[in-house]
Amino acid sequence: MDRGNTKQEILEAALDLFSVQGFEATSISQIASAVGIRKASLYSHFESKQAILDAIVKDVLEQYAAHSIFARADWENPSDTMEKQAQDSDTATQMLLGQIRYLLHDPHISKARKMLVMEQFQNPELANLQTKQNYTDVMQYFTGLVKHLIRNGVFAGEDPEIMAAQLCLPISTWINLCDREPDRETEVMELVSRHIQQFFRVYRSSIE
């Protein structure tokens, strides 16, 4: 078996296990068994279970930075694409629905999110990562979006942070619901769509 492939298989197997039963409850032996190698062979790739977790976190952060709109948005200097996405409710809705589908269906991101939910009360590093990815970055993105729309006369409002919370926090709750009950995704997507459309109507209505 190719050494590079084996290392990736170890990470995949470990993430599978960590996302279901947690980091502490998963043993090196279980990971090795899931890959189909001996425990001693696993140690030739990673010196410890913590080293495996560190590699998973690094990989997840790289993918998150590359694909998440929340990680890379700059509303002080928005791109043409961001400008277009922000101007009307239909475009914003499709953009956000696409991001939600990515978060729900990308295997690494979805499994990592479940792992973070489980481990946030056990591991300070993962607790900080959970806060960053699922609250801080999301709130910064939507606060920047709302401020941008207020500056450009699209929205009227006095407290962009509260407006951002009104927009994004229900969506976070619906994503968590889908993690627990995947068969409700269609229902959730419909709720998200109606939620965004209503948000735009409410904050546009005071200036029209």
Side-chain angles (χ1 to χ4, degrees):
M1 186 179 289
D2 180 79
R3 182 179 177 87
N5 288 342
T6 302
K7 189 169 186 177
Q8 188 59 39
E9 287 180 13
I10 291 169
L11 294 177
E12 297 280 353
L15 182 56
D16 284 344
L17 290 166
F18 294 163
S19 68
V20 172
Q21 59 190 40
F23 174 76
E24 293 296 337
T26 299
S27 68
I28 287 288
S29 296
Q30 286 176 311
I31 299 170
S33 177
V35 178
I37 61 175
R38 294 177 301 167
K39 186 175 176 179
S41 298
L42 185 148
Y43 280 119
S44 70
H45 297 277
F46 295 97
E47 63 182 16
S48 65
K49 188 170 68 168
Q50 182 63 48
I52 296 174
L53 179 63
D54 291 343
I56 289 173
V57 169
K58 180 176 181 292
D59 181 55
V60 168
L61 285 173
E62 288 174 353
Q63 293 192 49
Y64 176 73
H67 298 290
S68 174
I69 60 173
F70 307 133
R72 62 183 190 274
D74 180 4
W75 286 110
E76 295 301 320
N77 299 286
S79 65
D80 291 342
T81 300
M82 290 171 63
E83 286 279 11
K84 182 178 178 182
Q85 290 171 342
Q87 290 306 309
D88 66 87
S89 58
D90 290 337
T91 307
T93 298
Q94 291 309 309
M95 178 270 295
L96 290 170
L97 290 177
Q99 181 69 13
I100 292 168
R101 290 188 184 97
Y102 162 69
L103 293 173
L104 290 176
H105 294 292
D106 181 274
H108 292 93
I109 297 298
S110 62
K111 290 174 186 176
R113 185 172 59 256
K114 293 171 186 175
M115 177 185 72
L116 292 178
V117 169
M118 295 178 65
E119 294 297 321
Q120 62 184 312
F121 302 109
Q122 307 293 331
N123 185 313
E125 178 189 7
L126 296 187
N128 289 335
L129 183 55
Q130 163 76 347
T131 298
K132 172 181 167 54
Q133 288 194 353
N134 295 291
Y135 178 75
T136 307
D137 286 355
V138 176
M139 276 294 293
Q140 286 180 349
Y141 174 87
F142 282 101
T143 301
L145 168 63
V146 170
K147 286 181 177 178
H148 176 75
L149 293 173
I150 291 173
R151 283 196 305 268
N152 286 274
V154 179
F155 281 173
E158 298 180 355
D159 195 329
E161 188 172 10
I162 294 302
M163 292 169 66
Q166 291 169 346
L167 177 57
C168 73
L169 295 184
I171 295 174
S172 295
T173 298
W174 285 321
I175 290 172
N176 291 335
L177 176 62
C178 282
D179 282 338
R180 294 190 301 275
E181 302 180 41
D183 59 333
R184 299 184 69 174
E185 181 178 336
T186 300
E187 171 195 353
V188 163
M189 289 301 188
E190 173 63 22
L191 286 169
V192 170
S193 180
R194 287 160 48 198
H195 171 64
I196 297 168
Q197 296 285 338
Q198 177 171 290
F199 184 86
F200 270 72
R201 286 196 303 271
V202 167
Y203 283 104
R204 281 183 189 275
S205 65
S206 62
I207 61 174
E208 293 180 345

